[in-house]
Amino acid sequence: MTSSAQLYLVGCLTLTVGLALDMGPNQNMEFTFMLPTGGTECFYQTTTTGDSMEIEYQVIAGSGLDVGFALISPSGHRVVSEFRTSDGIHMLDYTEFGDYRLCFDNSFSKMSEKMVFFKVIINSQGNTSGGQEEWMDFTVTESMEDYRIEEIRRTMDSVYQHLEKTRQVQTVLRAFEARDRYLLEDNLWRVSFWSCLNLLVMLGVAVTQTYTLRRLFDNTKRVCT
């Protein structure tokens, strides 16, 4: 199996595009894609003023397991710039309004394409405050103080945050598993190739030694009396 075929096989197993459910303030995106040889791919993430954003990426498959990464703000400022790294985690505490550009560069590689996984987590402060106001309005209008609505809301938020964190960790673990699988298959192919080559050499040496020894003891001269 060729290296390109292995990359596409792993891609079929790990290709995921996840958008988080609209159950809270987190807006998450996960994506796995093939970065072509000598190419550059850019993705856009829309944010509002005052949000916080977390970006995590890693190279799952491909020769060298490295890519270039750049994060460019809506105003054109290069926030992050990395060259030939296998993974990275970046956090922005305060975002601008507009589209952030995430660019992955493989222009330095002329022989191998790369499989890259990345995820973006947006924590919107506006959505958080809006949800709290809705809960407060519900509490006031329905007069549900006896049912401890505020405590129930905090419990539900805590459960959702833990579930969301668990999902994120599982996604990262799946990406690591895909990269380990690619390395395992690539190493298995190398080990199998060199093992077969050594076996052929050993057989050739054995045949050559046997033939040489037989020639040494093969007396073809005739004795005349």
Side-chain angles (χ1 to χ4, degrees):
M1 182 180 295
T2 64
S3 177
S4 178
Q6 290 178 352
L7 292 180
Y8 281 110
L9 178 60
V10 178
C12 293
L13 295 174
T14 62
L15 182 61
T16 58
V17 181
L19 295 177
L21 297 177
D22 191 13
M23 297 175 56
N26 291 331
Q27 301 173 4
N28 304 333
M29 181 184 70
E30 302 164 1
F31 192 54
T32 303
F33 68 99
M34 298 298 301
L35 185 59
T37 303
T40 301
E41 294 285 348
C42 292
F43 302 87
Y44 294 87
Q45 175 63 49
T46 302
T47 60
T48 59
T49 304
D51 292 346
S52 61
M53 179 170 60
E54 179 181 352
I55 303 169
E56 180 176 353
Y57 72 92
Q58 59 179 302
V59 184
I60 299 177
S63 177
L65 294 176
D66 54 356
V67 295
F69 174 74
L71 176 63
I72 303 174
S73 66
S75 60
H77 177 66
R78 188 177 291 266
V79 181
V80 178
S81 181
E82 296 178 332
F83 181 68
R84 303 196 70 166
T85 56
S86 59
D87 55 67
I89 300 177
H90 304 284
M91 299 186 65
L92 296 179
D93 296 329
Y94 190 87
T95 60
E96 303 177 12
F97 177 78
D99 295 332
Y100 277 83
R101 184 169 52 175
L102 294 76
C103 294
F104 298 90
D105 180 31
N106 193 33
S107 59
F108 55 86
S109 178
K110 304 301 182 184
M111 299 293 293
S112 174
E113 56 188 359
K114 308 293 176 63
M115 179 182 294
V116 182
F117 163 81
F118 75 92
K119 69 175 182 178
V120 180
I121 302 175
I122 302 294
N123 295 317
S124 178
Q125 301 298 329
N127 292 341
T128 304
S129 60
Q132 293 177 349
E133 291 175 359
E134 291 177 0
W135 273 96
M136 293 301 295
D137 292 340
F138 177 77
T139 304
V140 173
T141 56
E142 299 296 335
S143 301
M144 301 292 291
E145 292 83 0
D146 295 338
Y147 293 94
R148 305 174 69 179
I149 296 299
E150 185 64 26
E151 182 178 353
I152 296 175
R153 183 187 66 81
R154 287 197 298 266
T155 303
M156 292 180 63
D157 288 343
S158 178
V159 171
Y160 170 73
Q161 291 174 4
H162 283 85
L163 290 175
E164 187 66 20
K165 186 64 176 179
T166 301
R167 189 186 66 82
Q168 296 171 11
V169 172
Q170 290 177 345
T171 301
V172 174
L173 291 179
R174 285 198 300 267
F176 276 114
E177 181 183 359
R179 182 170 67 177
D180 293 341
R181 181 183 297 275
Y182 168 78
L183 292 175
L184 178 63
E185 292 178 353
D186 185 62
N187 292 334
L188 177 62
W189 183 86
R190 294 182 181 181
V191 171
S192 301
F193 173 77
W194 288 108
S195 298
C196 293
L197 183 61
N198 290 332
L199 179 61
L200 292 177
V201 172
M202 292 175 62
L203 291 176
V205 171
V207 171
T208 303
Q209 290 179 345
T210 302
Y211 176 76
T212 303
L213 290 175
R214 292 189 61 180
R215 291 288 295 176
L216 291 175
F217 292 97
D218 186 14
N219 187 6
T220 58
K221 296 181 179 180
R222 295 182 180 180
V223 179
C224 297
T225 58

